[in-house]
């Protein structure tokens, strides 16, 4: 259940939260829309189990709403506080997901879930390594406008490279090398991305390595 809710969170909080929504989330209508998207995505990823655990999912959605309100309120008083509130916001979301999962496990019993956790772990790793890290790095580089602009300009090439790096780490050089066109594209994109920034190269390799460790550790929780 945890991996279902965590992946749903990443989907709703990143690719399904476009820039216009982030910029206007201080409006209650936009914040409610964002929260509704979270609820709908979560329901989709737990499938028929939602018929049983919908009150818990509503509680999780309410927790998400409250956390976002607190972050937005802090932003009004401390507009230059960007990085730390972002990190705390995400950590609180992860904790709320874990607490709701513990609550569900203690109350609802065995549930019929639509996806195998192992596939959600892999999907989470790829989503985090690509789009989630793009958003995160853009925020973490808030005080470095030149590097931040580079992150934005190289959005797609670097996402593809990080996906390729993660694939290499997960499945080995032989598997990817056997798919020569894909490997060639990855290497070409790598050269395009990193001709200006060794920092970006090290960062993307580090993200791939961290996601490799994540997959290995997460897999232990479902055995």
């Amino acid at each position: 259940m945890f991996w279902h809710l965590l992946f749903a969170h990443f989907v709703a909080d990143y690719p399904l939260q476009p820039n216009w929504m982030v910029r206007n989330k201080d409006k209650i209508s936009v914040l409610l829309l964002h929260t509704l998207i979270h609820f709908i995505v979560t329901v989709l990823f737990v499938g028929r189990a939602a018929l049983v655990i919908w009150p818990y999912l509503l509680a999780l959605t309410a927790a998400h709403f409250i956390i976002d309100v607190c972050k937005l309120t802090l932003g009004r008083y401390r507009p230059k506080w960007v990085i730390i509130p972002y990190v705390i916001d995400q950590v609180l979301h992860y904790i709320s997901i874990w607490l709701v999962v513990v609550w569900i496990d203690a109350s609802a019993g065995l549930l019929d879930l639509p996806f195998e956790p192992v596939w959600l772990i892999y999907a989470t790793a790829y989503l985090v390594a690509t789009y989630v890290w793009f958003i995160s790095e853009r925020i973490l580089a808030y005080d470095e406008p030149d590097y931040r602009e580079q992150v934005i300009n190289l959005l797609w090439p670097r996402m593809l490279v990080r996906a390729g790096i993660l694939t290499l780490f997960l499945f080995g050089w032989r598997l990817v090398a056997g798919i020569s066109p894909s490997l060639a594209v990855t290497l070409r994109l790598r050269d395009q991305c990193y001709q200006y920034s060794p920092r970006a190269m090290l960062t993307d390799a580090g993200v791939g390595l961290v996601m490799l460790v994540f997959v290995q550790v997460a897999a232990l929780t479902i055995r």
Side-chain angles (χ1 to χ4, degrees):
M1 171 64 72
F2 177 79
W3 301 113
H4 293 74
L5 299 187
L6 183 65
F7 185 66
H9 165 77
F10 281 127
V11 170
D13 224 32
Y14 289 90
L16 295 185
Q17 185 178 194
N19 288 334
W20 71 265
M21 187 176 288
V22 174
R23 289 193 298 266
N24 293 282
K25 215 161 63 169
D26 55 342
K27 299 176 182 177
I28 187 63
S29 59
V30 177
L31 181 57
L32 287 173
L33 174 61
H34 171 66
T35 307
L36 177 62
I37 290 172
H38 263 275
F39 180 74
I40 293 173
V41 171
T42 302
V43 167
L44 291 175
F45 276 101
V46 300
R48 290 181 297 178
L51 297 173
V52 177
I53 62 171
W54 64 266
Y56 306 93
L57 302 183
L58 280 178
L60 179 60
T61 304
H64 190 100
F65 178 84
I66 293 170
I67 292 169
D68 278 7
V69 167
C70 292
K71 180 187 174 186
L72 290 168
T73 302
L74 178 61
R76 292 193 190 100
Y77 291 99
R78 293 289 187 272
K80 293 186 178 180
W81 288 8
V82 175
I83 298 174
I84 293 178
Y86 169 74
V87 173
I88 294 175
D89 170 78
Q90 288 301 311
V91 170
L92 290 176
H93 287 317
Y94 307 152
I95 292 173
S96 67
I97 290 170
W98 176 74
L99 289 174
V100 168
V101 169
V102 171
W103 187 17
I104 291 172
D105 287 344
S107 306
L110 189 63
L111 297 169
D112 181 20
L113 296 170
F115 304 105
E116 290 294 331
V118 64
W119 297 115
L120 292 172
I121 290 171
Y122 278 106
T124 299
Y126 275 97
L127 181 56
V128 171
T130 53
Y131 194 75
V132 172
W133 178 250
F134 161 69
I135 298 296
S136 299
E137 188 176 25
R138 191 179 69 183
I139 293 172
L140 295 175
Y142 175 77
D143 295 324
E144 303 172 85
D146 291 340
Y147 183 72
R148 188 169 185 268
E149 183 178 359
Q150 184 185 122
V151 169
I152 295 170
N153 291 338
L154 293 175
L155 161 63
W156 289 105
R158 284 189 62 194
M159 283 205 304
L160 291 172
V161 167
R162 286 196 296 273
I165 290 172
L166 178 57
T167 302
L168 293 178
F169 284 158
L170 285 173
F171 304 112
W173 285 94
R174 290 184 180 179
L175 175 61
V176 180
I179 312 173
S180 54
S182 299
L183 182 60
V185 169
T186 299
L187 294 176
R188 193 175 299 117
L189 287 170
R190 180 205 63 185
D191 293 339
Q192 177 185 348
C193 291
Y194 304 135
Q195 58 183 328
Y196 302 115
S197 177
R199 172 182 173 180
M201 181 188 303
L202 293 173
T203 298
D204 289 350
V207 170
L209 183 60
V210 169
M211 286 299 100
L212 170 65
V213 174
F214 164 80
V215 169
Q216 299 300 320
V217 173
L220 297 176
T221 68
I222 61 174
R223 290 177 181 173

